[in-house]
Amino acid sequence: MVTMDKVRVMISEEEIAKRLDEIAGEINNDYKGESVILIGVLKGSFMFLSDLAKRIKLDAEVYFIEASSYGSGTQTTGVVKISKDVDRDLKGENIIIVEDIIDTGITMDKVTQLLRARGAKSVKLCACLSKPSRRRVDIKIDYLGFEVPDEFVIGYGLDADEKYRNLPYIGVADC
Ligand code: IMP
Ligand code: MG
């Protein structure tokens, strides 16, 4: 059990806000005159998606998808199940998948494959965090917040046993 006072701040609220301004600026520029469909991956992306969406000045729709990766404990097996899907036709649309963290890349590999098969005009990936040292599948991240070292991070949507998602910053549990 980690208590809140044992959380070390890795990326502050201010740093996140600054990076979000930059990423949203890029997106607003890249899709000028077009509309976008933001698809957040539950649950971890909820806070990042919310802060990002507020900065997007395009016609936008928001949907969620839920992907569960099965394995023993914290080790992923590579078997990914979509437990909540997008209830909308995606043909001809600009999709931006919004994810909390790309770790092994296995979840995102499956989610992007699934969404790409639906005839969208474009599919891009926006992730708040990436742990490149852990990658097992090659994944292109079009818009990335921050690279982080191989440490288990919590907060800003990311959980440890469903807790700490509500922290406004990204932290590491020092126990
Ligand atoms: P994948 O290994 O890239 O498939 O990552 C799958 C999911 O594991 C991510 O979307 C996160 O929800 C979760 N995850 C990976 N690393 C961390 C972490 O450091 N803290 C909290 N959740 C994580
Ligand atoms: Mg996730």
Side-chain angles (χ1 to χ4, degrees):
M1 176 65 193
V2 186
T3 51
M4 293 283 205
D5 59 327
K6 289 272 176 63
V7 180
R8 166 166 55 89
V9 179
M10 181 187 269
I11 306 169
S12 70
E13 248 184 291
E14 293 72 24
E15 288 173 285
I16 296 169
K18 184 168 170 280
R19 191 72 191 106
L20 272 164
D21 287 342
E22 293 166 357
I23 293 173
E26 269 184 63
I27 293 175
N28 288 330
N29 202 41
D30 291 353
Y31 294 90
K32 202 168 273 164
E34 299 195 55
S35 58
V36 292
I37 295 200
L38 304 174
I39 302 181
V41 185
L42 289 171
K43 296 178 198 169
S45 72
F46 82 96
M47 206 175 276
F48 180 55
L49 171 60
S50 155
D51 285 344
L52 178 72
K54 283 183 260 182
R55 291 165 164 87
I56 290 190
K57 309 297 178 201
L58 307 161
D59 272 347
E61 291 180 29
V62 176
Y63 294 87
F64 289 99
I65 197 166
E66 186 164 25
S68 343
S69 141
Y70 288 98
S72 51
T74 55
Q75 285 303 307
T76 175
T77 52
V79 182
V80 179
K81 187 175 164 270
I82 304 297
S83 39
K84 180 192 164 17
D85 205 338
V86 177
D87 49 357
R88 182 204 199 283
D89 182 13
L90 298 172
K91 212 163 281 163
E93 303 293 342
N94 292 312
I95 296 174
I96 304 176
I97 304 166
V98 183
E99 175 62 308
D100 54 358
I101 184 166
I102 311 294
D103 186 30
T104 63
I106 290 169
T107 308
M108 223 6 74
D109 187 47
K110 169 84 190 221
V111 171
T112 46
Q113 270 178 36
L114 178 95
L115 294 174
R116 276 184 203 286
R118 297 189 182 169
K121 179 179 176 188
S122 65
V123 179
K124 284 195 184 182
L125 173 60
C126 175
C128 182
L129 304 172
S130 172
K131 272 188 208 170
S133 61
R134 297 252 314 158
R135 204 74 90 246
R136 281 167 56 190
V137 184
D138 189 29
I139 288 278
K140 179 175 183 250
I141 308 175
D142 301 281
Y143 306 102
L144 174 64
F146 307 91
E147 274 192 4
V148 291
D150 185 9
E151 284 187 273
F152 194 79
V153 288
I154 53 175
Y156 202 62
L158 292 142
D159 73 307
D161 232 350
E162 291 303 325
K163 294 194 171 58
Y164 316 106
R165 293 193 195 275
N166 58 316
L167 297 178
Y169 52 82
I170 292 152
V172 178
D174 270 334
C175 19

